[in-house]
Structure formats: C-alpha cells, structure tokens
Amino acid sequence: MMTPLRAGVARGGIELRQTLTNGIDLFTYLFPALLLLGTIFFMRDAHVPGTTFSLGASTLPSILGMGLAFGGLMTVSQQLVVEREDGTLLRAKATPNGMSSYLIGKAVVVGGMTLVSLLIQLVPGLLLVGSGLHVSASGWLMLAWLVPLAFLSTMPIGAVLGSIFENPRNMGLIILPIFGLVAISGIFYPITAMPGWLQGVAQLFPMYWLGLGMRSVFLPDSLAAVELTHSWRHLETFGVLAFWAVLGLALAPWILRRMARRESGSAVAARRERAIATMGR
Amino acid sequence: MTLTGALDVGMPVPPDERVIDVRDLRMRYGTRDVLDGVSFTARRGEVLALLGPNGAGKTTTIEILEGFRMRSAGEVSVLGVDPATAGERWRARIGVVLQSWRDHGKWRVRELLKHLGTYYAPYSTDRIRRPWPVDDLLDVVGLTELGGQRVMRLSGGQRRRLDVAIGIVGRPELLFLDEPTVGFDPAARREFHDLVHRLTDVDDTTILLTTHDLDEAEKLADRIVILGQGRIIADGSADELSRRVAGETEIRWTRDGQRFVHSAVDATPFVRQLFLQYGEGIDDLEVRRNSLEDTYMKLVLESEGEAR
C-alpha cells in the first residue's frame, strides 16, 4: 500500500523543515561544521605525507564521509532511543501503519539532515581549500551510488543500536566506540600510519570505506598512491558497504519489531519516572 | 458477603453488541498472577470504568485490550477481533489516549493533528468518515486558538486535551482512556466530561476508562468494573454496586433551624416515621445512599480480606 510510504515521507519532510527553523537544531548543524572547518583551516599549510598536496584539502572529503556514517549510525540510534523514551514510538504504534511510517520518516529526516550538514561543510570547505578538489563525471557517478549505499549500510545498524539501548543516558556506549572508529579510520590522519592490526579493524567497518570513497570522489587520482594498496578500491568499498547494508537490513526488522512489541503505556511511564528521578539528581 | 454469585446477573449483552468481550483472561509474570480469570463485556456506546487499587491489574488489562501486550491465557475479543493478532484496519477503529510527556514537541498543534489524521483516511467508511476534520476537532477539544502553537509550549492541561484530540482523530469506535484527567483543574475536568458525553451520545463511541477519581467514574460510567488482586470483585452500575454492599444510608434534615444527621440501614421507614412525627417541621431533607467511594472501599477491603 502507498499510504505508509507517503505518510512517512510527509512526516520526514515536516521534521526536516522543523530542524531548519529552530535555534537548537541550527546550532547542531553549524557547530560541527565550524569545528571541522577550523580543523581544516589549521591544516591548510600542511601536506599529505610524501606529496605536495594540501592536508586540509584531503581531510575535507574524509570528514564528509565521516558525516555520512555519523548520520546513519549516531543520529538514527540517538533519535530512536530518545523517541522511545518520550513516547513518540508508542504513539506511532497506536496509529494504523504508524510504525512503518515512523521508520520511513526517520530515514527521510536523517538522510535530509545528513545532506544538509554535508552541504554546510562542503561549501565553505571548498572556499577554504578549494584548489585541488574537483569532481569528475565518474566522481558524480560514484556519489550517486556511494551516498545511498552509505545510508543503507549505516541507518539499519543505527536503528539496531538504538533499539538495544533503552536509556538515553547510556548513549555514551554507542558514541564512544564510534569516535574510536573515527580515530583509526584515516579520517583526520592517514590510516597507513596505524599499526597493521588496527588497519585491519578499521577496514571491517563502514567508516573507513566512506572516507575513502569520498576521497576518491574529490581528490585527484594521483593521491590514491598514499592509500592502502595504492588504489581507491571501489570494488572493495562497494563490497564492505553492501555487506553492512545486507546485515543491517536483515537484523533491523527483527530487532525493531521486538523493540516495538514491548512498547506500552506503562513502559513509557516507567521510563518517564526513571528519567525524572535521574534529572533530579 | 461474596459477590461472585451475583456477577452473572445483570443484563446479558447480545454477542453482536459486544465491543469488548473478555473471558477468563489470565496474565502471569513468573510465578505471580497479575490477572486471574477476568471476564467482562462492554456494549456499543457504553462507558465502562475500570477501577481498582494500584497493582490490581487495570493497566495490564487495558494494555492487553489495546493490543500492546500479550496475554498468558483466556479469550479476548475487541470489536470482534483478537487484539493479539489484529491488523492495521482494526487499529484504525481504536483510539488510545496516551499520557504524553514531551513527544512531538517541535510540531505545531494543527500540523500534528492533520498529519496523524492522514493515517486514518484509507479506513474511512460510509458510516464513519475518517479522519475527524482538524478544525472541528480543535473546536471540540477547545484548542482552536492554539492551532499554530508548538506542542512543547502548551500547558499541562492543554497538552492533555491534545492527547485526547490525537486519541479521537481517527473517529474511533472504541476509545481507551487511561487516567484521563490526572492533573486537570475542576473546569478542565468538567469540559472533559462534556466531551466524553458528546462522544458517546453523538458518535456512539464505546469508552473504556481507568481512573482513581471515583466521582469521575460515577459521573461518566454507565457501568463500573472493579478489579482487586487480579480478579473482578464487582461489575454493575454505580447504583447497583451500592445496593449490593450492605451499608447504612445517611439522612440529614433540619427542624426548628437545627441540623440533624442519622444513619440507618433502611432509610425509607425511618423517613416515613420522621414525617409522621414532625410533618411540616422537617426541612432540607437529604437522603444519601452509600457513596461510590464507600462502596468501593468496602469491596476492596473485602477482597483483600478474602485473599489473606
């Protein structure tokens, strides 16, 4: 039936518009962008080791890749945990086709938010380190599959994480490992400088591949030389991301259903009691 | 005194009129029976109040009927369907007023109601047009002026009215109200009661409500079901219940400007005697049977006594 899809897209659209019209949300768009642009600014005179290419310029695409992973993993899981606690999910459950529409809406709003953040970082970023970055025809083609695949490989996993953790105050358990991944995935510092086993770990997760994919889109092909195996490894990028997409899409419906089945008025009330008790402390 | 024998008396509800039909419902957590053989029915257009002390199983019962919780055993039929396996079409005929907290805070009132209404549009029928048009709905719950307000800026009472509006936006045939007027001031409570009457009179909505406010139960409910320790300890109108519980009736009057209060098991002969004796001298006569509160307390204490 068309309705859950249409209602979900409408829902996502309304929520996306809301993020663009209130101060707190605008701040959460701009603040990371400012931090990242600051980082790039101070890197502008440094060079990618072994080349004369600006380190700032090569970091910008990596950051965009990280942003894609953050959106899918962190924003999705965070919103799911918070909205389970505040009763949004229970309301969805009490509405016909509400759960499917809720999830579709979540994908739309998080996808939209991620793209908005991407643009907010990309446009001023290009002005700062513009020279050397350009997107060829094959680069656009790459973006056309990389961005959707980025969402597919991270959002379902984010939904699974968000379903497992019940308490928003335990979100650190999700966030810290993700920041750990950023550190070892060659986003701010080349992965080639990491010990071999850490390189192995990093290559298991989408974060590294999203950074690599975005670098391959924006950087000149000569810079593939400083990557692992001296290549952009498009096939491997596709393979690893597709693996996570399949894994996530296989797990998410089952885990989401299990999570949704437990939602009830008393479950939400119990969480509210607990939240109020914690806030008082 | 036990009421168990008296439960099946009262009017039997014909099967096609039964909006809720619960038989021998059981719920067990580990080794504890939260519901231990609960049976009751609700007929179309009826307001049924579910009362009982905390922990008696009210919330569990209502959540099983809402399809939010699985039961351990027993037969449950809500609008002719088992809630445990019911689909979206069934869901569209049910309204649930949830205790909101801070969900949808960024949404504007009208925007939220309009959006949630679209989910019900495919389930509109010739008899019941779904959803409820937003302007009418805002008017019914008294939020017309706040249509453009963000939900997070509503006061507690306004938010509660929005909860009710969300619960009825799909024009439900059966509405669940779990402690609907907690935190209402007396005026808001009165308005809410008017709304409930409107729903049952005009739209023939069946309503199942839980409350701790016995006065509210007495005002709203056609029938009251009292749960105690996972069993039904009484089922009937407020009037029937008070008749079933042996108790004294309070009689108040004035004579020569002086107030008198007397309690009698049977008020009628006492009052007759009073008039025979003083005739015109009696003024401001009041005869009050057990209040629902007295009845309730007696029944609950009785059931707890039996359990011990």
Side-chain angles (χ1 to χ4, degrees):
Chain A
M1 203 205 292
M2 266 308 280
T3 322
L5 184 60
R6 204 181 303 152
V9 171
R11 189 182 172 84
I14 292 170
E15 292 200 324
L16 182 61
R17 200 190 62 222
Q18 286 163 352
T19 65
L20 297 171
T21 53
N22 85 74
I24 296 170
D25 283 322
L26 287 176
F27 181 76
T28 56
Y29 280 126
L30 292 176
F31 185 67
L34 284 176
L35 277 186
L36 299 174
L37 291 174
T39 312
I40 292 171
F41 180 74
F42 288 111
M43 283 179 171
R44 72 194 183 285
D45 293 331
H47 292 117
V48 177
T51 70
T52 54
F53 197 81
S54 150
L55 186 59
S58 93
T59 303
L60 180 63
S62 307
I63 288 174
L64 299 181
M66 173 184 78
L68 287 174
F70 271 2
L73 293 172
M74 265 167 38
T75 317
V76 168
S77 57
Q78 227 154 6
Q79 294 212 358
L80 221 55
V81 173
V82 168
E83 299 195 337
R84 192 144 40 108
E85 183 182 70
D86 73 19
T88 308
L89 257 121
L90 180 59
R91 249 191 231 297
K93 195 180 171 186
T95 315
N97 303 306
M99 270 295 176
S100 344
S101 304
Y102 171 84
L103 290 172
I104 292 165
K106 212 65 318 175
V108 170
V109 69
V110 173
M113 284 168 74
T114 308
L115 291 179
V116 169
S117 315
L118 220 68
L119 286 178
I120 290 178
Q121 292 161 17
L122 179 62
V123 173
L126 284 179
L127 294 177
L128 271 181
V129 294
S131 61
L133 293 185
H134 95 269
V135 185
S136 63
S138 65
W140 286 112
L141 199 68
M142 169 102 187
L143 272 183
W145 65 259
L146 184 66
V147 172
L149 191 58
F151 289 146
L152 276 177
S153 62
T154 54
M155 279 186 190
I157 296 291
V160 167
L161 293 175
S163 305
I164 294 172
F165 290 90
E166 165 129 335
N167 190 335
R169 281 147 289 275
N170 291 342
M171 277 304 290
L173 294 174
I174 301 179
I175 292 170
L176 286 177
I178 294 179
F179 277 109
L181 267 186
V182 171
I184 63 169
S185 293
I187 301 296
F188 292 101
Y189 203 71
I191 192 172
T192 43
M194 296 284 155
W197 66 275
L198 269 183
Q199 291 179 4
V201 171
Q203 289 177 77
L204 292 176
F205 295 98
M207 183 76 71
Y208 168 74
W209 299 98
L210 289 172
L212 177 69
M214 289 306 252
R215 286 196 293 279
S216 82
V217 169
F218 287 95
L219 299 182
D221 280 341
S222 58
L223 275 189
V226 301
E227 300 290 345
L228 291 173
T229 75
H230 312 296
S231 125
W232 292 126
R233 293 198 285 172
H234 287 165
L235 207 61
E236 290 89 333
T237 305
F238 183 87
V240 174
L241 294 178
F243 166 78
W244 280 97
V246 170
L247 182 72
L249 289 171
L251 281 178
W254 177 64
I255 292 191
L256 283 168
R257 216 171 285 141
R258 198 184 64 136
M259 177 271 288
R261 206 165 40 228
R262 294 183 181 167
E263 286 308 295
S264 67
S266 49
V268 172
R271 272 184 230 123
R272 173 171 50 198
E273 294 294 315
R274 201 180 49 205
I276 289 169
T278 334
M279 276 180 228
R281 257 181 245 144
Chain B
M1 189 191 93
T2 166
L3 285 163
T4 332
L7 281 183
D8 298 328
V9 191
M11 266 183 300
V13 182
D16 55 325
E17 282 284 292
R18 282 179 206 158
V19 172
I20 298 175
D21 195 350
V22 178
R23 273 185 227 174
D24 201 27
L25 175 61
R26 286 166 197 279
M27 187 73 197
R28 171 175 283 228
Y29 294 119
T31 57
R32 203 168 71 88
D33 284 313
V34 182
L35 295 176
D36 186 11
V38 168
S39 304
F40 65 92
T41 58
R43 65 162 66 213
R44 189 173 305 286
E46 189 171 47
V47 179
L48 189 71
L50 200 55
L51 307 184
N54 287 336
K58 296 189 302 281
T59 303
T60 304
T61 305
I62 210 167
E63 288 184 352
I64 289 171
L65 297 179
E66 288 164 346
F68 288 168
R69 200 181 273 267
M70 296 295 131
R71 60 185 185 267
S72 304
E75 276 174 53
V76 177
S77 158
V78 173
L79 292 168
V81 181
D82 182 346
T85 54
E88 304 299 330
R89 181 166 296 279
W90 175 83
R91 176 63 64 201
R93 298 169 65 199
I94 304 280
V96 180
V97 174
L98 297 163
Q99 303 260 14
S100 72
W101 181 20
R102 55 182 185 198
D103 63 288
H104 293 98
K106 291 181 205 161
W107 290 64
R108 295 184 192 279
V109 171
R110 175 186 299 276
E111 178 180 59
L112 181 59
L113 288 175
K114 194 164 165 44
H115 174 72
L116 290 175
T118 60
Y119 291 74
Y120 294 89
Y123 304 102
S124 185
T125 64
D126 289 338
R127 201 168 61 80
I128 303 169
R129 293 270 162 222
R130 297 184 166 104
W132 202 315
V134 176
D135 288 313
D136 296 357
L137 185 57
L138 285 172
D139 184 46
V140 161
V141 298
L143 287 176
T144 303
E145 261 107 76
L146 295 167
Q149 185 76 273
R150 283 197 197 274
V151 171
M152 64 178 134
R153 298 204 196 289
L154 298 180
S155 72
Q158 291 163 347
R159 226 200 129 147
R160 215 61 201 97
R161 276 185 271 162
L162 176 63
D163 292 336
V164 173
I166 293 172
I168 62 178
V169 67
R171 294 200 98 111
E173 289 157 62
L174 169 63
L175 181 64
F176 292 101
L177 297 167
D178 200 358
E179 302 196 14
T181 56
V182 172
F184 274 30
D185 64 27
R189 188 176 304 243
R190 167 70 67 87
E191 279 170 26
F192 177 78
H193 291 171
D194 290 344
L195 171 61
V196 168
H197 285 133
R198 200 219 112 122
L199 288 174
T200 47
D201 295 348
V202 182
D203 298 321
D204 213 17
T205 312
T206 310
I207 295 181
L208 178 62
L209 80 118
T210 69
T211 180
H212 280 297
D213 181 345
L214 296 163
D215 189 46
E216 176 166 281
E218 198 163 11
K219 275 199 187 110
L220 290 179
D222 301 308
R223 231 171 77 228
I224 291 168
V225 171
I226 304 181
L227 272 176
Q229 321 234 339
R231 293 162 183 274
I232 290 192
I233 56 177
D235 180 350
S237 68
D239 216 35
E240 283 164 0
L241 294 192
S242 69
R243 255 185 259 269
R244 263 182 219 159
V245 176
E248 302 206 320
T249 303
E250 195 179 77
I251 304 132
R252 295 162 175 266
W253 70 95
T254 58
R255 180 164 57 84
D256 304 333
Q258 222 188 323
R259 288 206 67 85
F260 293 89
V261 180
H262 179 86
S263 288
V265 174
D266 194 350
T268 318
F270 178 83
V271 173
R272 189 182 296 125
Q273 194 58 42
L274 199 64
F275 276 105
L276 280 176
Q277 205 171 340
Y278 299 105
E280 298 279 317
I282 303 294
D283 217 351
D284 291 332
L285 179 71
E286 274 178 58
V287 179
R288 289 194 56 211
R289 201 192 286 278
N290 268 326
S291 70
L292 180 59
E293 190 176 328
D294 302 328
T295 311
Y296 172 83
M297 289 311 299
K298 283 208 181 84
L299 287 167
V300 168
L301 285 175
E302 212 169 79
S303 87
E304 281 172 0
E306 270 172 27
R308 264 179 216 126

